[in-house]
Amino acid sequence: MAEQAVAEKEEKKGRLEGPTPKLILTSSPHQLGADTIERIMWSVVLSLLPATLAGLYFFGWGALYVIVISVASTLAAEALYQKISGHGNTIKDGSAAVTGLLLALTLPPGSPWWLSVIGGFFAIIICKQLYGGLGFNPFNPALMARVFLLIAFPLQMTTWPAPRSLFSGIDAKTGATPLGDLQVARLIGKGIGKAAELNLLDAFIGNIGGSIGEISAIALLIGAAYLLYKQYITWHIPVSMIGTVMVFSGIFWVIDPGKYVNPVFHLFTGGLIIGAFFMATDMVTCPVTLKGQLLFGFGCGLITVIIRMWGGYPEGVSFAIVLMNILSPMIDRYIRPVRYGAIKNQISKVKNQNVM
Amino acid sequence: MWTIAGEGIHPSDEKGITSSLPIEGIRPPGKVVIPLSQHIGAPCEPLVKIGDMVKKYQKVGEAKGFVSAPVHSSVSGKVIAIGRFPHPSGNQSNSVVIESDGKDETIDNIKGRRDYLNSDPKELKNIILNAGIVGMGGATFPTHVKLSPPKEKKIDTVILNGAECEPYLTADDRLMAEMSREVVEGMKILMHVMGVREGHIGIEDDKPVATEAIRKAASGTNIRVVALQKKYPQGAEKQLIKSITGKEVPSGGLPMDVGIIVQNVGTAAAVYNAVHNGIPLVERIVTVTGKGVNRHGNFRVLIGTLLEHVLSECGGLAGGAGKIIFGGPMMGIAQYSLHVPVLKGTSGILVIPKGDVLLEDFRACIRCGRCVQACPIRLLPNMYSILAEVGQPKEAEKYYVLDCIECGCCTYVCPSRRPIVHHIRYIKAEMRKAKGKVA
């Protein structure tokens, strides 16, 4: 009997006596990586700084106020929506700042202030929050807003000041982008016009006409290298997108160099580099598998070339990426990783097993 | 260099805290709680009654059914209770509680076998069964079952797992460095039992001392020591097989489907101890580590020792109780009580102080695909997480969720801090439930 009592006491001790300290219980894993949404988004902002600075250098005041107003608009739109919907504050996750900066970098310098405001609100409210917020938006919000502005306000979106350094005293005069020149030449039947005369060094540094952030290849590549190093983007989309543009434009250039420009021209003009490294790689709107990303990049490149060569717009990067965004869920549905342990020579074995 | 197929991850491993500390003993506890279920499979039947006197190494629970393993007393003393006690799995389990008399009297007829390489494999297998040996890497699958594949499965290779890819843990590292002979001899026994000539010991390349020791002990044998690239989860069975032999274990299958048997290095040492010395599995090496405990080290701990005792031997908790994890930080289980015992599969005790425990709300999936790229089994963790969240666990079966090994890479890399592994466990539980209803 005494033993029974001891047993009961022991059992109670094990079962009922609560642990003296209160321990925290969560499911494994108990160690987590350092990368959060915040960290990734603010890193993207950081990676866009070289291109932003290049834009400020070449366009001065005309770039500055577009950037400030765009970013302010997306932040304001985000805050406003959070307030109305009653959801938590998501400004600090940095995604609205990224959208604002990306939008600004794709606008013409010196464009009217209300263009940035409309674009910013459209990007955040219509393209992101109405779908459910970050993670649920089917399109890259900044690009979708740019496409919207391009269709709604074509005049303001295609008025380009010529690049001028911050420190030069000459007044800006209205110029055109190399791709714009190319299209005009093509439409009036003059082949490639002056396009072949493009100074590649100017294009590489950014001393050409274009949107605020797309002109300087070197600045964009510095930012892209940082993102690749941090593994926030992978090489798959940029390489397949740019590769596709180069290969297809190259084929036509070889066939008829009088009618089509060389692939290097395509690489350094317009928004190909900013699009391939910073827009198409948007986590939310590109496929999740690496194979899917290769296909996605191929599609982006192909549509870009088609629009540039035969389309009604001089530049096709934005349209290409937005169109491919539509296909992302489809790509994810059909392109899946190969099931582990289901490689060819073992499939028969797997089948046998299922029979057993 | 040998590496795994999928991407995997490189978490900061913190092994430096304990990797150079030699294995030491701790004072034996006043009582031990020996759960009758310390393995995958059927729980044991108790062989003793309350009030019985037992000796060290005496069998107190008999294996029930084929997939089961007996348990033995790790002290001599008196059985004071048999009933449900806290179990590290987060549940309660039928356990035998033995109060130690401090004399450590062993049973009389301990018989070792010196000529094991000339013994009948069947007898050796029987010794392994009766010694209660289970997989000591943490999965605790009964070893004798692994060594008895169905006749149609031809086994040609035995692999010893010394990867120890879990951060913080160094128990296997120290075991290999200090007891290399036991490990290699155990490996020889395993190969002899299976009748195979090909044997590999896989060790991650961050353990040069252990690798050297094993290499020396294995020289002149047909056992090959393979240095594996450091990467989590290199030591997961399927990944280890892929890294060493290039073969992929079929989905839903076992290593024996590709002719391979994998055992942990600790298991090999226990097999040697059982066969050569006739001693059953009653103690193991446990890494005690983490900022939340005062003294770190690799300790030889009797099975059944309560967590409370181990911690007090290690100077108690430091910096407020946070999380106490049995196993490593990637796959280990957080404990709810200090009254849980150390089991055959407890490779480490990791104590995280309260201030270091991150408790964040998770957010929407941003479809970044980092989990897809990190998954060593090439699955789509993002899908499972979303399907669990919207309450459609059945859908996940189409995406092969059952292949998941719950290594935790997806959760580790998720920038939205989604508890993906937890979601997957929920899905698996729902699927088990659904199947139960059908049957």
Side-chain angles (χ1 to χ4, degrees), chain B residues 214-234:
Chain B
I214 294 285
R215 218 166 238 157
K216 213 176 266 170
S219 65
T221 67
N222 46 356
I223 299 168
R224 200 168 60 109
V225 180
V226 186
L228 302 155
Q229 191 195 333
K230 181 172 174 52
K231 189 185 230 185
Y232 180 85
Q234 185 67 263

Side-chain angles (χ1 to χ4, degrees), chain A residues 7 10 14-15 17 19 24 26-28 30-31 33 35 37-38 283-284 288 338-341 346 353, chain B residues 12 31 80 86 92 238 248 251 257 322-323 329 332 339 363 367 370 373 378 403 412 415 417 422 425:
Chain A
E10 269 300 317
R15 213 192 279 167
E17 188 184 83
I24 299 168
T26 55
S27 181
S28 70
H30 308 284
Q31 191 176 357
D35 290 335
I37 295 180
E38 283 78 12
M283 295 177 165
V284 182
V288 294
V338 181
R339 189 178 188 186
Y340 191 91
Q346 286 177 355
Q353 251 190 354
Chain B
S12 78
K31 74 169 182 201
I80 54 170
Q92 292 181 338
K238 289 182 174 183
E248 289 194 357
S251 166
D257 295 321
K323 237 193 235 182
H339 300 274
R363 287 176 279 176
R367 301 167 35 81
R370 289 159 68 95
Q373 281 138 43
R378 302 198 295 261
D403 289 0
Y412 181 89
R417 294 274 187 249
H422 194 65
R425 291 200 186 107

Side-chain angles (χ1 to χ4, degrees), chain B residues 106-257:
Chain B
T106 59
I107 46 173
D108 308 324
N109 50 349
I110 300 176
K111 265 208 319 273
R113 262 172 196 269
R114 307 290 138 137
D115 60 337
Y116 43 86
L117 291 183
N118 295 318
S119 307
D120 179 13
K122 258 189 202 146
E123 278 176 44
L124 294 178
K125 229 187 276 182
N126 218 19
I127 294 174
I128 291 168
L129 160 66
N130 280 311
I133 294 173
V134 300
M136 290 170 75
T140 64
F141 194 79
T143 300
H144 68 96
V145 181
K146 258 194 186 177
L147 296 178
S148 316
K151 275 211 183 74
E152 65 273 15
K153 307 279 183 200
K154 279 298 286 177
I155 303 297
D156 52 32
T157 308
V158 175
I159 293 176
L160 271 201
N161 187 351
E164 202 171 46
C165 58
E166 272 273 4
Y168 287 97
L169 302 187
T170 54
D172 286 351
D173 186 1
R174 291 315 305 180
L175 174 86
M176 288 187 286
E178 295 178 37
M179 298 166 71
S180 52
R181 201 179 66 83
E182 282 87 337
V183 172
V184 171
E185 291 303 311
M187 175 66 160
K188 283 185 191 163
I189 297 171
L190 292 170
M191 287 166 69
H192 175 64
V193 169
M194 296 314 300
V196 304
R197 302 196 45 79
E198 197 183 335
H200 308 276
I201 302 180
I203 306 172
E204 271 193 353
D205 54 12
D206 63 335
K207 306 176 184 59
V209 179
T211 312
E212 201 37 52
I214 294 285
R215 218 166 238 157
K216 213 176 266 170
S219 65
T221 67
N222 46 356
I223 299 168
R224 200 168 60 109
V225 180
V226 186
L228 302 155
Q229 191 195 333
K230 181 172 174 52
K231 189 185 230 185
Y232 180 85
Q234 185 67 263
E237 210 168 56
K238 289 182 174 183
Q239 269 60 48
L240 189 72
I241 291 170
K242 170 105 184 175
S243 294
I244 291 180
T245 67
K247 292 178 186 168
E248 289 194 357
V249 177
S251 166
L254 292 169
M256 64 174 158
D257 295 321

Side-chain angles (χ1 to χ4, degrees), chain A residues 235-320:
Chain A
W235 58 266
H236 300 75
I237 290 178
V239 167
S240 79
M241 180 171 175
I242 293 174
T244 306
V245 170
M246 302 281 278
V247 167
F248 273 79
S249 61
I251 291 171
F252 284 93
W253 175 63
V254 166
I255 294 172
D256 187 354
K259 202 171 159 200
Y260 299 100
V261 285
N262 64 61
V264 181
F265 177 91
H266 279 286
L267 174 63
F268 286 127
T269 59
L272 183 58
I273 292 177
I274 191 174
F277 283 100
F278 296 94
M279 303 284 197
T281 52
D282 170 30
M283 295 177 165
V284 182
T285 55
C286 74
V288 294
T289 60
L290 296 177
K291 264 187 289 175
Q293 292 181 0
L294 283 175
L295 180 64
F296 180 86
F298 170 76
C300 289
L302 191 64
I303 299 173
T304 300
V305 171
I306 291 172
I307 294 178
R308 279 188 182 184
M309 286 184 175
W310 301 291
Y313 284 89
E315 171 58 313
V317 170
S318 330
F319 291 106

Side-chain angles (χ1 to χ4, degrees), chain A residues 179-229:
Chain A
L179 279 173
D181 285 340
L182 178 65
Q183 198 205 18
V184 171
R186 172 161 64 84
L187 291 180
I188 59 174
K190 280 194 180 166
I192 59 172
K194 290 183 294 177
E197 294 160 25
L198 178 77
N199 182 336
L200 284 180
L201 185 65
D202 274 350
F204 188 61
I205 294 170
N207 196 16
I208 53 172
S211 303
I212 294 169
E214 71 180 21
I215 48 167
S216 174
I218 175 77
L220 287 167
L221 289 175
I222 290 170
Y226 172 71
L227 288 185
L228 282 168
Y229 166 73

Side-chain angles (χ1 to χ4, degrees), chain B residues 386-418:
Chain B
I386 291 169
L387 288 171
E389 201 178 4
V390 299
Q392 293 186 331
K394 265 190 191 161
E395 279 288 303
E397 202 169 359
K398 292 183 200 156
Y399 298 89
Y400 314 128
V401 65
L402 289 180
D403 289 0
C404 172
I405 59 170
E406 300 180 18
C407 65
C409 289
C410 49
T411 312
Y412 181 89
V413 297
C414 182
S416 290
R417 294 274 187 249
R418 296 174 71 79

